[in-house]
Amino acid sequence: MANSLVLKGIQVNYGKARAVSDVNVEVAERRVTGIIGANGAGKSTIMRAISGLLPLTRGEIWFGEKRLDRIAAHKVVQLGVVQVPEGRRLFPQMSVLANIRMGAFLRSDKAVIKKDIERIFERFPVLGQRRTQRADTLSGGEQQMLAIARALMAKPKVLLMDEPSWGLAPLVVDEVARIINEIASEGLTVLLVEQNAGLTSKVTDYAYVLEVGKVVLEGEIKNLMADENVRRAFLG
């Protein structure tokens, strides 16, 4: 499909250490696909490689008919593959509104950007209420909402979400799940990497289990959640 994301036998090294080895993943269009596993399994490494932030040692990454592993990171964003990074990575001393506008940095359609900001505040009312506040004064949940909002301003075709439950209370994780389901229902393709089994089971259609840089299992989420390999991946 035109907007499917495909990883073909990718390998990523840090120096002589191999972080990811022979990983094959297909992120189907208009679905939520998960990569699950414990800390150190290689999940974030895969996300950085897709975004053009880490070079591949071997393999290929394709988005439709475009090969991503041969282009610069900003070109990946221009093609519509946008990441919500682990730990949010906001601009802490900038306002909520300024952070949201940064998501549209590569866009030039000013009138549409203005309308998109208005829609963001409709989707995330708390951000509208705090639009003039500095990002570092927000709660953890509000910062996660802001990170998602900033990514949506880039007009993604595929949204990469790296540990969106990180550091959040259970009630806030439920809200993140609601938002993911909402944007997925609108047709956005999502690749989620997570350790939180509850969040993953609520939003994911199909998932890959990663252990020590290798995919050891894949399948429909309802089947995976009953598997011992999956429990071991989540528990480390």
Side-chain angles (χ1 to χ4, degrees):
M1 286 183 277
N3 289 334
S4 62
L5 179 67
V6 181
L7 282 58
K8 299 182 178 180
I10 71 165
Q11 178 179 318
V12 181
N13 290 2
Y14 290 105
K16 294 183 179 179
R18 186 173 300 178
V20 170
S21 180
D22 196 30
V23 166
N24 295 281
V25 168
E26 182 171 356
V27 182
E29 189 175 0
R30 297 176 180 271
R31 297 189 78 190
V32 180
T33 300
I35 299 177
I36 57 182
N39 269 336
K43 304 185 304 298
S44 292
T45 297
I46 290 172
M47 295 296 244
R48 294 189 195 105
I50 295 170
S51 293
L53 301 174
L54 283 175
L56 298 185
T57 306
R58 185 180 302 158
E60 302 173 358
I61 300 174
W62 290 85
F63 177 50
E65 297 181 353
K66 301 287 186 180
R67 186 167 173 180
L68 299 187
D69 58 285
R70 290 180 170 176
I71 62 175
H74 72 281
K75 295 289 187 182
V76 174
V77 174
Q78 285 179 328
L79 287 174
V81 181
V82 180
Q83 184 172 165
V84 181
E86 182 181 11
R88 276 81 82 172
R89 301 293 180 91
L90 300 171
F91 299 96
Q93 297 184 3
M94 292 169 57
S95 71
V96 167
L97 179 57
N99 271 273
I100 289 172
R101 283 177 173 157
M102 286 301 295
F105 181 76
L106 294 175
R107 295 172 55 186
S108 57
D109 49 343
K110 292 184 179 180
V112 180
I113 288 172
K114 185 176 180 180
K115 290 181 180 179
D116 286 345
I117 291 173
E118 292 172 1
R119 282 195 285 267
I120 286 292
F121 288 146
E122 289 173 4
R123 187 190 292 273
F124 304 100
V126 68
L127 299 182
Q129 296 165 11
R130 300 186 180 2
R131 69 182 69 196
T132 61
Q133 284 186 220
R134 281 178 26 164
D136 61 359
T137 67
L138 302 180
S139 69
E142 291 165 351
Q143 288 186 17
Q144 187 62 64
M145 299 304 109
L146 181 54
I148 295 170
R150 180 181 61 185
L152 292 175
M153 285 298 297
K155 290 288 193 182
K157 296 173 182 174
V158 177
L159 189 64
L160 310 176
M161 305 190 76
D162 193 350
E163 303 281 8
S165 73
W166 179 81
L168 301 182
L171 283 177
V172 183
V173 174
D174 288 343
E175 177 64 10
V176 171
R178 184 193 66 78
I179 291 167
I180 295 172
N181 282 325
E182 183 179 283
I183 60 180
S185 71
E186 296 169 1
L188 185 59
T189 304
V190 178
L191 175 60
L192 172 75
V193 303
E194 256 298 342
Q195 290 186 79
N196 187 306
L199 174 60
T200 303
S201 62
K202 288 175 182 176
V203 304
T204 303
D205 301 306
Y206 193 92
Y208 297 80
V209 181
L210 200 67
E211 286 187 357
V212 198
K214 295 184 177 181
V215 173
V216 295
L217 200 64
E218 65 177 274
E220 297 292 331
I221 194 66
K222 62 181 180 293
N223 298 325
L224 289 179
M225 282 303 171
D227 191 280
E228 177 60 29
N229 285 323
V230 177
R231 288 198 292 272
R232 186 169 65 248
F234 277 125
L235 297 174

